[in-house]
Amino acid sequence: MTSSVQQEREAGMQRALDLLGQTNTRLVSIFGSKDEDGTARVHYILETSDREYRIFSGRVTGPISSATAITPAAAWYERELQDQYGIRCEGHPDPRPLLLHENWPGEVHPMNGMPKEVPWTNREYRFLRVQGEGVCEVPVGPIHAGIIEPGHFRFSVVGDTVLHLELRHFYTHKGTEKLFEGSPALNGVMIAESVSGDNCFAHAVAYCQAVETACGIPVPPRAQAIRLAGMELERILAHVADVGALCGDVGFTVPAAYNARIKESLLQASTQYMGTRFWRGIAVPGGVTRDLTATDAHKLAHAIAEASRDFVELAQMILNTPSVLNRFESTGILNTETARRMAVVGPAARASGVKIDVRKDHPTGRYRHVNVEISHYKQGDVLARARVRIDEAATATRLAIDALRDIPTGSIRSALPSAGSGEGMSAVESPRGELLYWVRVRSGNIERCHIKSPSFQNWPALPLAMPDNIIADFPLINKSFNLSYSGCDR
Amino acid sequence: MIGDIAKQSLQSPRVLIPVEDLLGNARGSRIPDVCGESLSIEIARRIVDACPTSALTLAESGSAPELALNYGECIACQRCVQAGDGAVRMAANFTLCGVRKHSLIRRWNLTTRTEIPQDDPVAVDAARAIRELLKRALNIRQVDAGSCNGCEAEIVALNNPYYDLERFGIHFVASPKHADMLLVTGPVTRNMAEAVKHAYEATPSPKLVVAVGACGCSGGIFAGNYAVTGAVDSVIPVDTYIPGCPPTPAMLLTGILQTLQRR
């Protein structure tokens, strides 16, 4: 899928750090793996100024020099390396544990092998202390007030105004990357579907494409078209739900209920024509498991068109309502420079003037044959993020309908080699942004699977949109980014 | 503007699903159903092999071989449907929602090719106390103990105009201190275990705990992995279970009402 990816395996680390120092290089991911002799290897995936993905890697024999000193976007990746593999990144400004909380003994690194039993400990975790006259700390979570995933937010406020927000996540850390190890490549897709439940199809497709690249498995054009339709439908669902939730957060409950209704109509159409509400079990390495008859494809396209027409009308109404604009406009601004510095992806990047979209920059499968217009705004506020979602729902509608009206004929699934081997990666534009899977397959089993989730990349940027906003606007700002906790924590 | 919305809202067709169409409806859940008559020992072996979790098991040692399907471990992947030669289908109806843990397991005698009847589900004491105290009102606090957010997406859907949970006098509240029922999803992660215990302790008695989804019922595909403690009942007492991956809104509603013995 990504044949253009260039790899440098030896002495790649220094080369990656040099490139990261240049403007127009975007950090995509940093992760570890083990060589056959058990030595750790660190991989850097970068997008260079020519908009190509490049992978660099090098063997780790001692502490490595930290990339975080060069770009703050690397901070969480290196903390993850430290937790998973015990790799020390020299010069890292914040080497606190990330995935593993107080209950986990500091000397146990899950990717290096697990002891029979891991004792429960009570290590100390220090939050950053903001001091001064009138400064108060407001801790929120891990359990939140709504039907939402868990995470902790520590606000330092003066009156209503937020001075500083510190995130503490990874409450839903399930050791997913470790769980992939040893799993048959065919079953790995079930794990991928359980990384972030509301984007499960994007995860499944990205995983399958990575395995297909690694093992050289062709995907029939018909399957590619069905995958595109599913991914765009998932985008519509996500954006409709997000815009509804934003309305709910400013007390505009009628459109919130209406959006929930539009979303449900699409889930029911999916059930009717694909047998599943969230397209679970559809993508598999080599293609898809379920075909669509011409009539069903037409009916599904019709359902999408109807839902989208209602949403367009509703969105107009929302954007013309002064009380909504009053809350959305100039709230939670993430400026372009910060968005670039933090390597932010997805709708949040496009709302802050960073015009990136995997569908356009690194198209895979059926996306190679379609034209994707990228909606982008400069303002970086809640309103811009809402507008990007509204525009993208319209683009996604067109793409999904086009794909469904013109599905190439042929098979939907190609046979798998019984024991494929190789390394491969694939990125897709999930509703939340660039989602990338990197896999190493050996004799048909997954040896290592790394997930770069857009939420892992974007969460650290959220606190940078908070200062000078009032704490009561936090739910709204948070919702406008709509990041996945489980996708981030894995 | 608001007037326009109100007008549109009144003009739009009703979407509310009648309760009789929801209870026991398994549409869209992809939960499997086994047809005992079509079973053979070969088919049973094949579907047990195809199952990526240990939901399907075969006991061949006793006098009569037995096939067991533990819905609490089923991730609705459809592998058994594909391997079952017609003996396994996607369920059209499914009522094992909001039941005790042992009731999640169905068994078939492979010699007689019939299902072995289950014990009657045992009533949950707390459910009677809550019903007597509160009649039709119920406050639910949802707790995500480490889920992938799939279950949450479906729980949120209960509030949409198709399901309208509030018509049953049931609503979601912001604090466990206001709750009669905890609806807990996810394999419990090590990092959430303490918070889940706190939420349980903060909920006043009488209280009900319902474990939701394959992960909540059994730990699902994450069972045994380093970062999770397992099913919800690995950290707090659980009254009833709602399987599924994720359970559909209809299954959730069936499970909540069945836990209250209101159906």
Side-chain angles (χ1 to χ4, degrees):
Chain A
M1 292 296 120
T2 46
S3 50
S4 63
V5 177
Q6 314 240 346
Q7 283 214 42
E8 284 184 36
R9 282 183 70 90
E10 296 315 321
M13 264 192 265
Q14 192 50 49
R15 180 95 179 93
L17 296 185
D18 291 346
L19 272 170
L20 272 176
Q22 297 176 7
T23 46
N24 295 329
T25 300
R26 180 170 65 87
L27 176 68
V28 177
S29 192
I30 304 176
F31 62 96
S33 73
K34 291 270 183 181
D35 279 358
E36 242 169 290
D37 62 0
T39 310
R41 175 177 288 279
V42 178
H43 307 250
Y44 300 80
I45 305 179
L46 312 178
E47 188 194 60
T48 42
S49 52
D50 51 358
R51 292 251 163 136
E52 291 286 343
Y53 285 135
R54 287 194 160 76
I55 307 182
F56 302 88
S57 70
R59 279 159 73 86
V60 180
T61 46
I64 61 172
S65 56
S66 169
T68 307
I70 305 165
T71 169
W76 279 19
Y77 291 109
E78 293 192 327
R79 287 170 70 182
E80 182 172 84
L81 271 184
Q82 181 183 265
D83 281 1
Q84 285 181 328
Y85 291 92
I87 296 171
R88 213 155 57 79
C89 300
E90 239 158 34
H92 196 296
D94 176 16
R96 288 176 297 175
L98 187 72
L99 313 178
L100 309 170
H101 284 190
E102 296 91 325
N103 64 64
W104 193 271
E107 66 281 3
V108 182
H109 304 289
M111 303 304 254
N112 291 350
M114 290 288 300
K116 254 206 183 111
E117 216 153 276
V118 181
W120 290 68
T121 58
N122 198 5
R123 285 193 288 164
E124 195 188 3
Y125 185 86
R126 280 173 199 242
F127 286 91
L128 185 85
R129 268 277 152 67
V130 180
Q131 286 169 326
E133 205 188 316
V135 179
C136 284
E137 258 190 15
V138 183
V140 177
I143 299 181
H144 300 148
I147 303 170
I148 336 173
E149 302 174 86
H152 182 84
F153 302 97
R154 185 71 59 103
F155 297 91
S156 298
V157 296
V158 171
D160 276 344
T161 307
V162 176
L163 291 179
H164 179 75
L165 162 61
E166 184 174 349
L167 299 182
R168 178 144 205 236
H169 278 350
F170 302 90
Y171 283 92
T172 68
H173 177 60
K174 295 183 272 292
T176 308
E177 292 193 355
K178 176 95 177 162
L179 190 62
F180 275 103
E181 289 180 5
S183 162
L186 197 60
N187 289 1
V189 66
M190 297 170 193
I191 306 175
E193 282 172 345
S194 298
V195 174
S196 177
D198 53 354
N199 288 177
C200 61
F201 193 62
H203 275 268
V205 171
Y207 168 81
C208 290
Q209 290 188 166
V211 170
E212 286 151 8
T213 313
C215 303
I217 306 163
V219 182
R222 188 170 177 83
Q224 292 180 2
I226 292 173
R227 284 180 180 180
L228 185 146
M231 295 222 292
E232 294 305 322
L233 177 55
E234 190 172 79
R235 193 181 323 280
I236 300 169
L237 288 169
H239 290 346
V240 166
D242 287 349
V243 172
L246 284 172
C247 290
D249 275 343
V250 298
F252 201 23
T253 50
V254 176
Y258 233 93
N259 276 3
R261 175 178 162 164
I262 294 170
K263 181 183 175 188
E264 180 67 27
S265 76
L266 288 170
L267 292 173
Q268 300 212 347
S270 288
T271 307
Q272 194 164 359
Y273 306 117
M274 294 304 284
T276 155
R277 286 165 65 84
F278 295 96
W279 290 57
R280 276 176 182 255
I282 299 292
V284 278
V288 292
T289 55
R290 196 173 158 126
D291 208 349
L292 271 164
T293 63
T295 326
D296 281 358
H298 186 81
K299 284 182 182 164
L300 181 57
H302 183 71
I304 294 172
E306 290 234 304
S308 194
R309 199 198 53 217
D310 284 354
F311 180 63
V312 167
E313 204 176 312
L314 197 63
Q316 267 322 310
M317 207 181 282
I318 294 164
L319 292 176
N320 286 331
T321 303
S323 61
V324 171
L325 294 178
N326 182 270
R327 292 288 304 278
F328 283 15
E329 230 170 340
S330 73
T331 304
I333 295 175
L334 180 72
N335 65 43
T336 308
E337 196 205 322
T338 310
R340 279 196 197 285
R341 207 155 41 90
M342 301 304 288
V344 169
V345 295
R350 296 188 283 277
S352 290
V354 182
K355 204 176 167 189
I356 52 171
D357 189 316
V358 175
R359 294 175 295 172
K360 185 135 190 137
D361 303 335
H362 307 280
T364 54
R366 186 78 176 161
Y367 286 104
R368 291 205 185 94
H369 309 292
V370 299
N371 179 34
V372 182
E373 311 104 58
I374 303 181
S375 158
H376 67 117
Y377 294 84
K378 286 199 201 80
Q379 294 81 352
D381 55 2
V382 172
L383 182 62
R385 287 186 284 276
R387 281 189 194 278
V388 166
R389 292 182 203 284
I390 290 167
D391 295 349
E392 282 182 8
T395 314
T397 302
R398 182 181 60 73
L399 290 171
I401 291 174
D402 285 353
L404 288 168
R405 292 225 168 112
D406 182 25
I407 309 183
T409 52
S411 73
I412 53 165
R413 192 172 177 181
S414 55
L416 287 189
S418 57
S421 292
E423 283 179 13
M425 60 168 254
S426 177
V428 301
E429 185 72 18
S430 82
R432 295 187 167 97
E434 179 185 60
L435 167 67
L436 184 144
Y437 272 72
W438 183 95
V439 296
R440 183 188 289 147
V441 187
R442 196 178 295 270
S443 309
N445 292 325
I446 300 292
E447 197 173 86
R448 174 79 172 98
C449 175
H450 167 69
I451 308 161
K452 179 256 165 82
S453 99
S455 299
F456 186 91
Q457 189 71 61
N458 286 4
W459 271 116
L462 170 69
L464 305 175
M466 270 315 288
D468 297 333
N469 284 272
I470 58 171
I471 192 166
D473 270 339
F474 175 70
L476 180 65
I477 296 168
N478 189 20
K479 193 74 224 176
S480 73
F481 280 86
N482 187 29
L483 303 172
S484 162
Y485 296 72
S486 181
C488 168
D489 303 352
R490 293 156 294 132
Chain B
M1 196 53 58
I2 309 276
D4 288 348
I5 299 175
K7 208 166 97 194
Q8 196 180 346
S9 168
L10 288 172
Q11 285 168 350
S12 57
R14 256 176 99 79
V15 293
L16 185 71
I17 306 174
V19 61
E20 56 272 24
D21 293 347
L22 286 174
L23 295 178
N25 191 333
R27 232 170 100 78
S29 70
R30 308 190 309 136
I31 284 275
D33 192 8
V34 176
C35 171
E37 286 165 35
S38 316
L39 276 178
S40 66
I41 189 94
E42 290 74 31
I43 290 177
R45 283 191 192 125
R46 232 175 25 238
I47 61 177
V48 169
D49 275 351
C51 182
T53 69
S54 47
L56 279 164
T57 47
L58 183 59
E60 289 192 69
S61 53
S63 54
E66 246 181 64
L67 176 74
L69 169 51
N70 182 353
Y71 283 101
E73 294 185 24
C74 172
I75 58 167
C77 69
Q78 302 273 298
R79 292 277 173 89
C80 54
V81 175
Q82 289 147 18
D85 228 358
V88 188
R89 290 175 304 220
M90 261 204 248
N93 296 296
F94 185 77
T95 52
L96 297 180
C97 297
V99 296
R100 298 280 186 127
K101 195 165 199 173
H102 65 83
S103 305
L104 292 173
I105 306 171
R106 288 172 69 191
R107 288 192 171 81
W108 289 267
N109 180 321
L110 291 172
T111 312
T112 59
R113 294 189 298 179
T114 49
E115 184 168 356
I116 301 163
Q118 285 201 21
D119 303 340
D120 284 337
V122 186
V124 181
D125 296 337
R128 183 180 306 152
I130 285 175
R131 226 174 40 227
E132 279 170 10
L133 193 66
L134 303 168
K135 308 290 188 253
R136 283 177 58 85
L138 184 82
N139 285 354
I140 303 179
R141 169 66 241 200
Q142 197 270 331
V143 178
D144 176 340
S147 121
C148 74
N149 203 26
C151 290
E152 278 64 34
E154 293 295 48
I155 293 170
V156 166
L158 284 173
N159 282 326
N160 77 34
Y162 286 78
Y163 305 102
D164 187 22
L165 191 65
E166 301 240 358
R167 74 176 129 155
F168 303 102
I170 300 171
H171 68 268
F172 289 97
V173 292
S175 166
K177 290 179 182 168
H178 304 157
D180 313 303
M181 176 187 281
L182 293 180
L183 203 55
V184 192
T185 61
V188 182
T189 61
R190 269 180 85 114
N191 292 348
M192 273 303 286
E194 198 189 333
V196 171
K197 285 180 203 156
H198 283 316
Y200 178 78
E201 279 154 20
T203 310
S205 291
K207 59 186 158 194
L208 290 162
V209 179
V210 181
V212 174
C215 296
C217 292
S218 69
I221 58 169
F222 297 100
N225 203 23
Y226 72 86
V228 304
T229 68
V232 175
D233 57 21
S234 67
V235 290
I236 55 171
V238 173
D239 295 294
T240 65
Y241 297 78
I242 302 176
C245 189
T248 59
M251 288 166 73
L252 289 163
L253 182 71
T254 306
I256 293 167
L257 294 182
Q258 208 149 249
T259 300
L260 295 169
Q261 291 143 42
R262 259 176 63 178
R263 62 166 303 213

